[in-house]
Amino acid sequence: DARVTQTPRHKVTEMGQEVTMRCQPILGHNTVFWYRQTMMQGLELLAYFRNRAPLDDSGMPKDRFSAEMPDATLATLKIQPSEPRDSAVYFCASSFFPSSYEQYFGPGTRLTVT
Amino acid sequence: ELKVEQNPLFLSMQEGKNYTIYCNYSTTSDRLYWYRQDPGKSLESLFVLLSNGAVKQEGRLMASLDTKARLSTLHITAAVHDLSATYFCAVDSGGSNYKLTFGKGTLLTVNP
């Protein structure tokens, strides 16, 4: 049963700490997306990669957020330093372009910054 | 800036009734997506509509796309409690750069 996995599922941290979230896309998928969901802003695209290369990170605060794909099976989203306004659910999604436009979402990482 | 508007944002309906959720968008993209999200859960893909006039159906849900009107509808037939969830539509930016812009979601509650 192919699915996107994310770790950790929950993270509580103090303001100023570094947070790293990880995503394993579905095997063979070549496009990976990072989204953030909050009550106020809804679902927002932060960044996405194709074949491990960043295509767009315009939705990401550049001063504290960074996204990478060290290899085809791992995507990371890092926040340093974290702030309370970063509290949200962070979703990773993957797809196989151009065969399919459908994006498959992971279970999400619920981040709370106190 | 691409805008996606859903209405209604909240929908309470009785089991057995029919209703439609509307999704308007501001770009000329012809790719429209519907997702379902249960409380505390991830997003589940329901439909991907890729051309003008596309219609897809799964069980009690039917989605359609009118690219000229920049409008998609999600029609619910004879609602049942299990359909209670938040439904999102999303539009991508077109071409090979298909990043999604989501609507705010419609919280659907189906009452017995």
Side-chain angles (χ1 to χ4, degrees), chain B residues 23-42:
Chain B
C23 175
N24 289 93
Y25 55 96
S26 63
T27 185
T28 55
S29 174
D30 55 4
R31 297 197 290 253
L32 193 292
Y33 307 74
W34 285 97
Y35 284 87
R36 168 182 171 146
Q37 186 177 36
D38 292 301
K41 303 293 186 182
S42 184

Side-chain angles (χ1 to χ4, degrees), chain A residues 35 37 43 45 48 50 56 58 91 95 97 100-103 105-106, chain B residues 31 33 35 37 41-43 45 48 50 88 96-100 102:
Chain A
Y35 292 92
Q37 185 176 35
L43 276 155
L45 177 70
Y48 84 101
R50 180 163 298 140
D56 192 318
S58 58
F91 288 105
S95 67
F97 179 85
S100 170
Y101 294 101
E102 196 162 4
Q103 296 184 22
F105 280 70
Chain B
R31 297 197 290 253
Y33 307 74
Y35 284 87
Q37 186 177 36
K41 303 293 186 182
S42 184
L43 280 82
S45 177
V48 180
L50 298 177
F88 292 94
S96 63
N97 210 7
Y98 63 124
K99 55 183 199 175
L100 296 184
F102 281 83

